[in-house]
Amino acid sequence: AQTVTQSQPEMSVQEAETVTLSCTYDTSESDYYLFWYKQPPSRQMILVIRQEAYKQQNATENRFSVNFQKAAKSFSLKISDSQLGDAAMYFCAYSDAGGTSYGKLTFGQGTILTVHP
Amino acid sequence: DGGITQSPKYLFRKEGQNVTLSCEQNLNHDAMYWYRQDPGQGLRLIYYSQIVNDFQKGDIAEGYSVSREKKESFPLTVTSAQKNPTAFYLCASTYRRAPLNTGELFFGEGSRLTVL
């Protein structure tokens, strides 16, 4: 079974600075998706960024980027120019790309990000 | 506006009672999912359904039941057999068919169940 590990229960960053959240995963599949979701205090899960395993290029979405290391099974999230609104719980998640497991996300335990003004 | 609606937001149950959480989506998504969230444990999959009239157990299905009679609806029943039902429950959905099958799950706002 696939597993996702987030080794940082909590992280903090000063406003306007950069922070990196870590995630490792374990799978025997070659084609899969990786995600970072954000859960603010409202508890609504919001997709931050998505990576397809067959793509070598790291995904970016404005101030958010990932460092995808397929051989090392590592998928870290970098938040640049941190803003107060970035404060939330961040979850790393894995999904097989197809078949009967499509859409079944396996989540890490989450990292609470605090942003200091 | 398209989206996923979960109700109720908050629900209190006495021990021994069954309760049903509603999940409705108007996004024309094929697949729907129920996750449970406990503090410090992330989200865990309870049940999922990839087509109408079919559903599969997830990792923690014991004490729960579902139905998928309509594409838009995927209600979750928490039965009295669930030993520790107090948790936050999230419903999600997604497309299965190309070219919209990006794997991304879209989530509802969740339902908080408390057993008294």
Side-chain angles (χ1 to χ4, degrees), chain A residues 36-101:
Chain A
W36 280 97
Y37 278 88
K38 169 184 177 181
Q39 187 180 43
S42 68
R43 306 203 76 172
Q44 173 92 54
M45 295 285 283
I46 302 164
L47 179 69
V48 175
I49 201 163
R50 170 182 166 274
Q51 176 79 42
E52 298 178 43
Y54 71 87
K55 289 188 176 178
Q56 302 256 349
Q57 189 171 6
N58 289 325
T60 62
E61 287 287 342
N62 300 313
R63 297 182 294 107
F64 299 88
S65 61
V66 298
N67 183 4
F68 173 48
Q69 301 288 329
K70 191 171 185 179
K73 296 180 181 175
S74 170
F75 184 61
S76 61
L77 174 69
K78 185 171 83 171
I79 306 174
S80 304
D81 185 25
S82 296
Q83 300 176 359
L84 295 177
D86 294 334
M89 174 83 90
Y90 286 81
F91 290 98
C92 179
Y94 166 99
S95 169
D96 288 344
T100 57
S101 294

Side-chain angles (χ1 to χ4, degrees), chain B residues 25-111:
Chain B
Q25 55 96 3
N26 60 3
L27 300 169
N28 199 31
H29 285 169
D30 312 289
M32 299 185 73
Y33 306 80
W34 274 105
Y35 284 88
R36 170 178 171 144
Q37 185 177 19
D38 295 283
Q41 293 195 44
L43 279 71
R44 293 180 291 167
L45 182 64
I46 304 172
Y47 266 100
Y48 65 103
S49 169
Q50 297 190 329
I51 57 172
V52 175
N53 292 323
D54 187 55
F55 49 82
Q56 307 295 330
K57 292 182 179 180
D59 300 318
I60 55 165
E62 185 175 352
Y64 299 97
S65 66
V66 294
S67 63
R68 186 88 186 277
E69 297 176 1
K70 298 187 300 182
K71 186 176 184 178
E72 302 79 16
S73 179
F74 191 42
L76 174 73
T77 297
V78 184
T79 75
S80 56
Q82 169 51 232
K83 298 303 179 190
N84 184 21
T86 294
F88 188 64
Y89 292 88
L90 284 157
C91 179
S93 65
T94 190
Y95 293 106
R96 288 202 68 228
R97 287 166 283 186
L100 299 174
N101 56 335
T102 64
E104 174 188 356
L105 290 190
F106 296 79
F107 285 85
E109 295 185 339
S111 294

